[in-house]
């Protein structure tokens, strides 16, 4: 019977109980089961298989490399529809004593020597900062100690970059790149022993500054489409590659000593002879390599970090210069995908969290110090709303970073979660900084040493664009890659189709997919009705809502598969799905963070952040349902996910006020939101001054309010407190001005053109004859 229906069918189906008390099947029952299986196979499985072959997309080699890189982590639980805080309890992000010491000493010392305003004016870090970064091992944070590096964890690396970013983003990027997608990490994973022993000590000591050349004019977010080509050839008896390339936006390229260069390798003459293959390959070129054009700079929004192009034509690269040697030829795309899975989860999120923590700290205090209409602007409702959103977003970002760093510390490399982190953190950083600029007003507009937010605001688009533009990360990568990779059944189903006539495997995966959909459909309806409604335990309430939305997301993702390959091009739907899964990750991260770090008032911030998240997730789901092209499926999604209607709303005005008060008073919440920012020991530093003024201004305002209520003047001692606070307040509200700017500051004798009058013309010349006539008349 098993042979009649095809090998492997029965052993994958649920078995019947034994007939009587014997494990022997009567022939008649066996024939009946075989006949049933044949009918089922022909009438259901074959048409379904044929339909799936028509509508499901094939997986390209580059897509396969992306799907096979890294690990499935908590994203697998999200796509299963049954995530839980218990799934992430094991992930902890704690600094080692050595990492904490480095933050408290070397990082503090570096930040103290940086004046970000001057750095931007000079378009470079000062020489002493470059020397300090090299000598103290900032370029070797992730390089193992046996090669001269620090051997820091993912969390330690993240916290170093984050703290520096609160002082100078240019310095943070300078430290970030060699420890992210630079040759260092690639060498550790894929380099030959000779390459590792030569390059890693030089990278760790700062003797070599690295850069990585990936992006080109035709290959931005679509890096696999690069036009940079290397042709295997023989030169003077040496097998190598002749490479022509044109790269741009390469950070640290203008000062790099070693370049990691990605190009598309071709072997038309078959010179590789089976050792390595064609495809994207990575080479290591030193600065003086013949034919390498390096040194020019881009000007990315007047940001001071080094960034510029790389180019070369018919540059000969010996096989020994290929990363990993000839054996690794054609393996570059896999290398890049593996490293991006970790780097995108650390670097830009660290910069983004740093900006948010600085904004929370400084803007929150500034709003209490600054007065308009005789009251602190922190007491104005129009200001309280964005203040609450800043606090909420910063809490969310801290939580997401803590969970991601814990996952990376556990040596998991989840590319889907890394993409979520890159998009979500940079997007929320933009929101926080924009809102901060709205609140500080003119103090944020006038550039100068006292403007603590202007440079961050100016540089927002850089974080949004690099390492995968947010638009494409959201609309193509997060859900598109996540659905294929993190869904418990889909990848197996697609591979069964792509393998050819593998109907037994298709049958098994299709049955599992249908069971998965059925479980989540029932779970979505049940949890919509029987979820927790009481807010007496804030964390428990929100965990119940998240579980309900996770079920809803899973069944909607399953139902979206009716679009087949068209789903890949439904980018608006995919973007909304990305918002949903990103919010689910963020929600569980916040619940996890709340269990690890809580203080008086933190539950209010959690409630605000989660309430906003539930509403946004609901709206994204409704957007999917309203715009799903197969309308009956959209209606079914609505019935299964919101059978009682959409019920989540934005945080109340009362909650906004409560959270804003926590951010603008000397509360434990302020410390929780900004635990890793640099505050200078220089008393004239603006951020340091604002933090010093906050408790003094609160005390002074309380004295004045009490005196008014009691209809009396402050006592001499009270007046002293008030005067000290008012003096600080007066200093803090001042903005920078300059005697000269631009050309007039560098060009001697320069006069502003506007001061030259076009009407102050010399008197017209008078002819000799006219002079004689005038004299005669006189």
């Amino acid at each position: 019977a098993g042979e009649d229906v095809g090998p492997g069918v029965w052993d994958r189906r649920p078995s019947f109980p034994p007939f009587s008390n014997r494990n022997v099947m009567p022939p008649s029952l066996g024939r009946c089961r075989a006949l049933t299986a044949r009918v089922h196979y022909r009438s259901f499985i074959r048409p379904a298989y044929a339909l799936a072959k028509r509508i499901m997309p094939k997986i390209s080699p580059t897509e396969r490399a992306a799907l096979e890189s890294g690990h499935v982590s908590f994203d697998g639980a999200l796509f299963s529809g049954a995530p839980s805080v218990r799934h992430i309890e094991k992930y902890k992000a704690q600094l080692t004593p050595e990492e904490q010491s480095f933050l408290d000493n070397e990082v503090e010392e570096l930040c103290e020597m940086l004046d970000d305003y001057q750095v931007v004016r000079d378009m470079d870090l000062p020489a002493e900062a470059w020397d300090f970064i090299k000598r103290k091992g900032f370029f070797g944070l992730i390089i193992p100690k046996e090669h001269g590096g620090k051997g820091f964890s993912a969390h330690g690396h993240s916290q170093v970059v984050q703290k520096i970013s609160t002082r100078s983003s240019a310095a943070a990027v300078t430290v970030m790149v060699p420890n992210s997608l630079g040759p260092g990490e690639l060498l550790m994973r894929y380099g030959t022993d000779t390459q590792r022993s030569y390059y890693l000590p030089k990278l760790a000591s700062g003797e070599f500054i690295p850069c990585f050349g990936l992006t080109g004019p035709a290959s931005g977010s679509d890096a696999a489409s690069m036009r940079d080509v290397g042709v295997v050839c023989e030169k003077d008896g040496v097998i190598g590659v002749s490479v022509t390339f044109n790269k741009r936006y390469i950070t640290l390229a203008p000062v790099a000593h070693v370049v990691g260069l990605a190009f598309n390798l071709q072997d038309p003459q078959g010179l590789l002879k089976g050792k390595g293959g064609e495809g994207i390959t990575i080479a290591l070129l030193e600065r003086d390599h013949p034919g390498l054009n390096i040194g020019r700079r881009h000007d990315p929004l007047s940001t001071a970090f080094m960034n510029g192009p790389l180019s070369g034509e018919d540059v000969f690269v010996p096989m020994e210069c290929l990363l990993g040697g000839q054996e690794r030829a054609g393996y570059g795309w896999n290398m890049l995908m593996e490293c991006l899975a970790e780097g995108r989860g650390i670097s830009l999120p660290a910069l983004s969290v740093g900006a948010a923590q600085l904004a929370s700290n400084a803007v929150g205090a500034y709003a209490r110090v600054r007065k308009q209409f005789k009251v602190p602007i922190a007491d104005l409702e129009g200001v309280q709303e964005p203040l609450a959103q800043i606090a909420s977003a910063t809490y969310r970002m801290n939580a997401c970073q803590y969970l991601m760093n814990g996952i990376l510390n556990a040596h998991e490399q989840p590319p889907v979660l890394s993409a979520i982190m890159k998009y979500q953190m940079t997007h929320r950083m933009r929101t926080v900084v924009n809102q901060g600029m709205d609140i500080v007003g003119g103090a944020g507009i006038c550039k100068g040493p006292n403007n603590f937010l202007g440079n961050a605001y100016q540089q927002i688009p850089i974080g949004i664009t690099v390492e995968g533009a947010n638009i494409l990360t959201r609309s193509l990568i997060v859900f598109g890659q996540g659905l294929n990779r993190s869904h418990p059944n889909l990848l197996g189903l697609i591979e069964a189709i792509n393998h050819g006539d593998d109907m037994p495997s298709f049958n098994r995966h299709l049955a599992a997919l249908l069971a998965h959909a059925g479980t989540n459909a029932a779970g979505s309806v049940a949890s919509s009705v029987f979820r927790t409604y009481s807010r007496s335990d804030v964390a428990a309430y929100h965990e119940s809502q998240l579980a309900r939305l996770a079920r809803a997301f899973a069944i909607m993702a399953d139902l979206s598969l009716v679009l087949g390959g068209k789903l890949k091009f439904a980018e608006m739907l995919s973007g909304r799905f990305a918002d949903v899964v990103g919010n689910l990750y963020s929600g569980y991260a916040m619940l996890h963070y709340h269990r690890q770090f809580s203080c008086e008032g933190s539950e209010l911030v959690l409630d605000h952040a989660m309430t906003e998240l539930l509403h946004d997730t609901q709206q994204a789901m409704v957007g999917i349902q309203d715009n799903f092209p197969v309308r009956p499926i959209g209606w079914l999604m609505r019935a299964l996910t919101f059978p009682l209607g959409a019920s989540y709303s934005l945080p109340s005005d009362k909650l906004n006020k409560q959270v804003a008060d926590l951010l603008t008073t000397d509360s434990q919440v302020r410390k929780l939101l900004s635990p890793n920012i640099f505050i200078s020991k220089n008393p004239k530093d603006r951020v340091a001054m604002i933090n010093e003024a906050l408790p003094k201004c609160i005390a002074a305002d309380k004295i004045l309010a009490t005196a008014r209520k009691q209809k009396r003047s402050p006592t001499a001692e009270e007046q002293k407190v008030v005067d000290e606070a008012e003096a600080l307040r007066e200093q803090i509200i001042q903005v920078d001005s300059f005697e000269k700017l631009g050309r007039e500051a560098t060009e001697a004798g320069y006069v502003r053109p506007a001061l030259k009058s076009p009407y102050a013309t010399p008197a017209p010349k008078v002819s000799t004859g006219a002079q004689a006539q005038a004299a005669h008349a006189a």
Side-chain angles (χ1 to χ4, degrees):
E3 291 177 357
D4 287 343
V5 297
V9 173
W10 279 120
D11 61 347
R12 291 184 176 93
R13 293 174 60 84
S15 60
F16 288 118
F19 183 76
S20 300
N21 290 322
R22 297 173 295 148
N23 292 317
V24 178
M25 186 181 296
S28 59
L29 182 55
R31 286 192 296 273
C32 179
R33 287 182 59 180
L35 178 62
T36 302
R38 281 198 299 272
V39 172
H40 178 74
Y41 172 80
R42 290 172 179 169
S43 63
F44 172 64
I45 298 300
R46 186 173 290 279
Y49 182 74
L51 175 63
K53 286 188 71 172
R54 287 200 308 272
I55 67 173
M56 285 294 184
K58 290 190 178 297
I59 300 176
S60 69
T62 54
E63 288 173 324
R64 181 170 295 281
L67 291 174
E68 292 175 351
S69 65
H71 307 93
V72 175
S73 181
F74 184 54
D75 47 315
L78 296 175
F79 277 86
S80 76
S84 167
V85 179
R86 292 190 302 275
H87 289 145
I88 53 179
E89 286 177 345
K90 62 182 178 180
Y91 299 123
K92 299 292 194 309
Q94 296 175 334
L95 295 172
T96 66
E98 184 181 357
E99 291 167 346
Q100 187 65 61
S101 175
F102 193 79
L103 276 172
D104 295 340
N105 295 284
E106 285 87 346
V107 174
E108 285 278 326
E109 190 174 348
L110 173 62
C111 290
E112 201 69 76
M113 68 176 63
L114 295 170
D115 174 352
D116 195 43
Y117 176 70
Q118 193 61 44
V119 166
V120 171
R121 290 191 69 186
D122 294 342
M123 291 297 287
D124 201 354
L125 302 180
E128 63 171 341
W130 279 107
D131 291 344
F132 189 83
I133 288 170
K134 294 175 183 178
R135 286 188 294 104
K136 296 299 182 178
F138 281 84
F139 287 154
L141 297 179
I142 65 170
I143 294 175
K145 291 183 178 181
E146 57 264 31
H147 292 293
K150 297 291 182 185
F152 281 2
S153 66
H155 185 54
H157 165 205
S158 166
Q159 295 304 284
V160 169
V161 172
Q162 178 186 315
K163 189 168 189 176
I164 298 171
S165 74
T166 65
R167 182 62 164 180
S168 168
S169 62
V173 170
T174 299
V175 171
M176 175 190 83
V177 168
N179 293 289
S180 181
L181 185 59
E185 185 168 355
L186 293 169
L187 278 162
M188 288 188 291
R189 297 194 190 192
Y190 310 109
T192 65
D193 291 340
T194 301
Q195 289 170 342
R196 282 196 289 264
S197 61
Y198 174 72
Y199 283 111
L200 290 179
K202 295 179 184 295
L203 292 171
S205 68
E207 181 182 348
F208 276 9
I209 297 173
C211 73
F212 190 81
L214 177 61
T215 303
S219 53
S221 296
D222 183 16
S225 66
M226 66 179 67
R227 296 189 300 214
D228 310 290
V229 174
V231 179
V232 181
C233 63
E234 184 177 346
K235 182 177 181 180
D236 299 329
V238 177
I239 299 294
V241 185
S242 178
V243 188
T244 297
F245 56 94
N246 181 20
K247 303 291 188 181
R248 63 181 184 182
Y249 311 149
I250 311 305
T251 300
L252 296 185
V255 294
H257 301 92
V258 59
V259 176
L261 180 69
F263 59 91
N264 203 346
L265 182 69
Q266 299 176 358
D267 183 24
Q269 301 179 58
L271 297 177
L272 292 177
K273 301 185 184 304
K275 190 178 179 182
E278 295 185 322
I280 293 176
T281 302
I282 297 172
L284 298 170
L285 307 181
E286 294 191 28
R287 189 176 185 88
D288 59 357
H289 192 98
L292 173 61
N293 299 318
I294 187 172
R296 294 179 64 82
R297 291 185 68 176
H298 296 308
D299 182 1
L301 292 177
S302 299
T303 305
F305 65 83
M306 291 289 168
N307 185 277
L310 298 166
S311 64
E313 187 171 351
D314 296 327
V315 177
F316 183 75
V317 180
M319 285 296 174
E320 64 186 21
C321 293
L322 300 188
L323 182 63
Q326 184 176 332
E327 293 82 355
R328 292 285 187 176
Y331 195 71
W333 188 247
N334 302 68
M335 296 180 185
L336 296 174
M337 292 299 99
E338 294 257 343
C339 290
L340 274 173
E342 182 168 338
R344 280 204 298 197
I346 295 177
S347 302
L348 288 170
L351 297 178
S352 301
V353 172
Q357 287 193 7
L358 176 64
S360 284
N361 177 277
V363 174
Y366 182 87
R368 181 61 58 185
V369 172
R370 174 68 164 157
K371 283 188 172 182
Q372 289 288 275
F373 311 107
K374 299 182 180 180
V375 297
I377 61 172
D379 291 338
L380 302 176
E381 289 190 4
V383 175
Q384 287 173 337
E385 186 173 19
L387 281 170
Q389 291 168 352
I390 288 173
S392 177
T394 304
Y395 184 87
R396 176 174 180 164
M397 294 168 73
N398 287 347
C400 289
Q401 183 193 49
Y402 179 80
L403 176 56
M404 188 66 193
N405 288 355
I407 290 171
L408 295 173
N409 272 5
H411 307 293
E412 297 176 19
Q413 297 163 337
V416 174
L417 295 185
S418 292
I420 288 173
M421 283 293 292
K422 192 276 167 180
Y423 163 64
Q424 288 263 347
M425 296 302 97
T426 55
H427 171 70
R428 298 194 183 285
M429 173 270 294
R430 171 165 56 185
T431 301
V432 167
V433 174
N434 277 339
Q435 290 170 325
M437 287 289 286
D438 287 349
I439 292 168
V440 300
I445 292 171
C446 294
K447 298 190 71 173
N450 292 315
N451 187 334
F452 56 85
L453 207 55
N455 285 341
Y457 175 78
Q458 186 169 329
Q459 295 156 15
I460 285 172
I462 299 172
I464 297 295
T465 302
V466 301
E467 292 193 15
N470 277 12
I471 287 177
L472 297 184
T473 299
R474 174 180 178 266
S475 61
L476 290 176
I477 296 175
V478 171
F479 183 68
Q481 189 178 121
L483 187 63
N484 286 332
R485 180 185 179 83
S486 307
H487 192 285
N489 310 114
L490 184 59
L491 184 58
L493 191 69
I494 294 175
E495 288 188 333
I497 296 169
N498 289 338
H499 285 164
D501 291 331
D502 187 4
M503 282 179 279
S505 178
F506 176 81
N507 183 14
R508 184 177 79 252
H509 288 294
L510 179 60
L513 178 62
L514 294 175
H516 177 263
T519 298
N520 284 313
S524 178
V525 174
S527 59
S528 296
V529 177
F530 300 110
R531 58 195 165 93
T532 300
Y533 291 91
S534 170
R535 286 179 178 255
S536 57
D537 184 335
V538 170
Y541 167 79
H542 287 298
E543 186 169 2
S544 173
Q545 312 313 309
L546 272 185
R548 174 258 179 111
L549 291 178
R551 287 289 189 191
F553 164 72
I555 185 56
M556 288 176 63
D558 288 344
L559 290 172
S560 71
L561 295 176
V562 301
L563 295 180
K566 293 180 181 178
L567 182 59
K568 187 175 182 178
F569 304 101
E571 294 174 21
M572 294 185 188
L573 290 179
S574 183
R576 295 186 185 102
F577 271 119
D579 293 339
V580 173
V581 71
N583 286 347
L584 291 175
Y585 168 80
S586 301
Y588 281 102
M590 286 191 281
L591 293 175
H592 178 56
Y593 192 73
H594 180 67
R595 292 188 178 189
Q596 310 300 318
F597 308 100
S598 61
C599 63
E600 184 180 355
S602 63
E603 201 168 70
L604 290 170
V605 184
L606 173 68
D607 192 21
H608 188 285
M610 291 295 299
T611 300
E612 187 175 59
L613 179 146
L614 295 176
H615 172 267
D616 292 348
T617 305
Q618 169 188 270
Q619 295 309 108
M621 287 180 166
V622 169
I624 294 166
Q625 295 159 6
D626 288 346
N627 293 280
F628 201 80
V630 183
R631 294 308 304 136
I633 298 297
W635 301 331
L636 178 59
M637 286 180 179
R638 179 69 59 84
L640 294 174
T641 57
F642 298 109
L644 303 180
S647 58
Y648 298 124
S649 58
L650 289 170
S652 66
D653 291 350
K654 178 182 178 182
L655 187 56
N656 278 329
K657 291 178 182 180
Q658 290 173 319
V659 172
D661 283 343
L662 290 169
L663 186 64
T664 61
T665 55
D666 197 18
S667 67
Q668 290 298 311
V669 166
R670 277 182 55 80
K671 298 179 178 65
L672 178 66
L673 292 178
S674 53
N676 187 36
I677 68 170
F678 172 76
I679 298 179
S680 175
K681 295 178 178 62
N682 180 357
K684 294 185 179 180
D685 178 85
R686 185 51 54 92
V687 174
M689 192 181 296
I690 290 172
N691 276 274
E692 179 193 359
L694 177 62
K696 294 180 179 180
C697 288
I698 291 172
D701 289 344
K702 186 176 181 180
I703 287 170
L704 293 173
T706 301
R708 282 195 299 270
K709 186 175 181 180
Q710 297 175 354
K711 297 181 180 180
R712 63 173 178 84
S713 298
T715 65
E717 196 64 31
E718 289 174 334
Q719 190 62 49
K720 184 178 178 182
V721 173
V722 171
D723 290 345
E724 184 181 4
E726 290 304 315
L728 276 171
R729 200 188 304 265
E730 188 64 24
Q731 281 185 278
I732 288 169
I733 64 174
Q734 303 305 317
V735 298
D736 296 289
S737 62
F738 306 89
E739 186 176 342
K740 295 180 179 180
L741 283 173
R743 285 177 60 187
E744 61 183 342
T746 58
E747 188 177 314
Y750 180 84
V751 178
R752 298 170 188 170
L755 297 177
K756 298 177 180 179
S757 173
Y759 307 108
T761 55
K765 290 184 178 181
V766 182
S767 65
T768 304
Q771 289 176 339
Q773 290 179 1
H776 178 75

